[in-house]
Amino acid sequence: MLIPRRDLEFQVFDVLDATALTRLPRYAEHDRAVFDGVFDAAYRIAAERFAPFAAACDAQEPHIVDGRAWTIPETRTALAAYNDASFTAAAFDAEDGGLQLPLLVAKACTAVFSSANVAFHSYAALTAGAASLLATFGSAEQRRRYVRPMLAGRFTGTMCLSEPHAGSSLTDIRCQALRQPDGSYRLTGSKMWISGGDHDLAETIVHMVLAKVPGGPPGVKGISLFVVPRDRVDGDGRVGAGNDVRLAGLNHKMGWRGTTNCVLSFGDHGDCRAEIVGEEHHGLRYMFQMMNAARLGVGMNAVALGYAAYGEALAYARERPQGRPVAARNPSSPPVPIIRHADVRRMLLAQKAWVEGGLALVLFCAWLQDHERCAADAAERERLNALLELLTPIAKSWPSEFCLEANKLAIQVHGGYGYTRDYPVERLYRDNRLNHIHEGTHGIHGLDLLGRKVPMNGGAAIKDLFARIGATVEAARASPELAEHAEALAAAVADAGATALKLVGAMARDPERALANATLFLDALGHVVVAWRWLAQAQAALRAPPGADPAAQDFCRGKLAACRYFFRYELPKTRPALELLRALDDTAITIPDAGF
């Protein structure tokens, strides 16, 4: 079930005004007609090439044949259609072979493809991330040899961070790169959990690998970044012999089964050639660009999978007759569709509030990226970047938590059928459950948000966030339909601000206690931010022309109802969480190990 185009266009054009981006020099060659054409292509390819094979690639997992991972043939066909339409290249500079579309439009399209088949789309998303990393930090030669073929779909890309013994602890990686007289490096070591690490879908795979050069500083300061193609690529971009990169095994996850997830071994025969990206010992700083882009991508995937499940649940509730209204007296009266039952309506409304709120959040982050990319003033770019850094852990983790709740309720709406493979909601739940750990666990992002992002630069980013929310609140106070929500959001912002101040102050005295419940802070601040984006959606819905057709009127009434639900059912949950945080509760850290 694809994300409805009506909602995507509402968020992109009515809430975030994508057409205004065409007044920026970077996007001046585009217009609304171009954006509409891009959406036409995305929905057509997603419906024809991605969605019909989502169940098949889940049931027929990749397997190893003669040392190479093989996927179902429809994977290649789907990615060929995707690349023929230049979707991998959508947001890249024209000089690199890109379409130079706004990220807002490009990321909206990724939501469509992920809702159709997240496993297929992940290959292209990883490729775009690796190509962007090389386009930013690679040499002119690396851009020529790797970036253009990646954007054209000839090569794919990966990110290789984790190792079997280290997991998220990059300080402990052991992968080594030895300098060679010709300026290249010889790489040895293993990498784990590498999505798209091997397959039969492209001429070669360009791995972005973190490794240490002997003699460098200890810990993360000694990490460098290397480009390591699976096969040698000559100066003209031709693919030759293997590069001593071996598929050591496939991991079998509960979801995303159509995406190969690999254990890779580099340099078993001492002949894995690697090229340094940028300078030695700066690799983690470079890789953070791809990691942060991937985190926003994870949030979008979580939204897309939650939205797909919501669409399935809504369709099922409208079609499934069962039971009678509470007030019905005649047991022989015909059953009604379950959408008529109050608790089913509550579950559907909760799903709508979570997934449409999550979509608003991640699309706002794409809008921020567009304005950061185009800002002429360095101070403005820095301010927008700081706000994006603050929102990234929220945009990754909030949808991974609450759009997964939408998946759970979608199963519940289906009743017993929801737990069977006869309906897609079982698969969609398994797919979405992985986003909780993709690109860092929920807990890691709570620590990052509270421990690093909130206090950075004296709290400048969170002050900017609250000022932006305050401007929306002030405008909404003048609306009779939204005044109640505006006051509730103003109170929640004050509550969150006081809590942040208390926790940041406590970090200097007792950081373990101050950060013990950082995940609660992440969830609470996420709710505040999503409430803000719901208020913006409600404002846009009220701006709809009064003479709109009945379907448009129903759409806007649905937006206002979901906004009301979020403010009455969800936002109040932040109050007890923030009270607990201000109390600096230490229950989790004081229980003795043996007490578990």
Side-chain angles (χ1 to χ4, degrees), residues 371-393:
H371 285 274
E372 178 198 1
R373 176 178 280 185
C374 296
D377 179 65
E380 175 67 4
R381 280 198 305 275
E382 185 176 337
R383 185 173 71 89
L384 292 170
N385 178 262
L387 180 58
L388 186 63
E389 284 208 22
L390 177 76
L391 289 176
T392 294

Side-chain angles (χ1 to χ4, degrees), residues 507-587:
M507 272 187 248
R509 303 186 304 273
D510 191 350
E512 185 174 14
R513 189 174 178 187
L515 294 170
N517 296 303
T519 303
L520 287 182
F521 183 80
L522 171 63
D523 289 344
L525 187 58
H527 262 54
V528 171
V529 173
V530 173
W532 169 44
R533 301 320 303 158
W534 260 118
L535 197 56
Q537 288 189 77
Q539 289 173 315
L542 288 172
R543 289 195 297 268
D549 64 84
Q553 292 178 355
D554 286 342
F555 176 86
C556 291
R557 281 195 288 266
K559 282 291 180 186
L560 294 173
C563 178
R564 185 163 65 249
Y565 178 92
F566 197 89
F567 272 86
R568 292 183 178 178
Y569 286 74
E570 291 295 323
L571 188 61
K573 295 176 183 177
T574 63
R575 192 177 306 117
L578 293 169
E579 287 176 359
L580 180 64
L581 282 158
R582 288 195 296 275
L584 297 174
D585 183 76
D586 61 359
T587 302

Side-chain angles (χ1 to χ4, degrees), residues 292 296 364-365 368-373 375 377-395 448-450 452-466 468 525 529 532:
N292 283 331
L296 294 173
F364 176 75
C365 289
L368 266 183
Q369 288 176 291
D370 279 320
H371 285 274
E372 178 198 1
R373 176 178 280 185
D377 179 65
E380 175 67 4
R381 280 198 305 275
E382 185 176 337
R383 185 173 71 89
L384 292 170
N385 178 262
L387 180 58
L388 186 63
E389 284 208 22
L390 177 76
L391 289 176
T392 294
I394 298 172
D448 178 50
L449 175 66
L450 183 55
R452 293 181 60 247
K453 302 300 174 56
V454 168
M456 66 182 181
N457 299 323
I462 197 168
K463 291 173 185 174
D464 183 20
L465 172 66
F466 287 165
R468 290 170 182 266
L525 187 58
V529 173
W532 169 44

Side-chain angles (χ1 to χ4, degrees), residues 51-81:
F53 310 106
C57 73
D58 179 73
Q60 303 171 48
E61 291 187 72
H63 57 283
I64 299 175
V65 178
D66 297 329
R68 179 64 49 82
W70 292 88
T71 62
I72 64 171
E74 291 85 359
T75 318
R76 179 185 286 270
T77 305
L79 291 177

Side-chain angles (χ1 to χ4, degrees), residues 221-258:
K221 293 182 178 179
I223 293 176
S224 299
L225 176 64
F226 298 88
V227 55
V228 186
R230 183 188 65 188
D231 309 280
R232 301 286 172 86
V233 179
D234 69 16
D236 295 320
R238 290 189 295 262
V239 176
N243 192 30
D244 199 8
V245 179
R246 181 173 64 87
L247 173 62
L250 291 175
N251 302 304
H252 299 281
K253 293 187 174 182
M254 66 183 289
W256 292 46
R257 290 179 176 177

Side-chain angles (χ1 to χ4, degrees), residues 72-95:
I72 64 171
E74 291 85 359
T75 318
R76 179 185 286 270
T77 305
L79 291 177
Y82 185 94
N83 284 308
D84 285 347
S86 297
F87 278 107
T88 299
F92 282 79
D93 292 350
E95 65 183 84

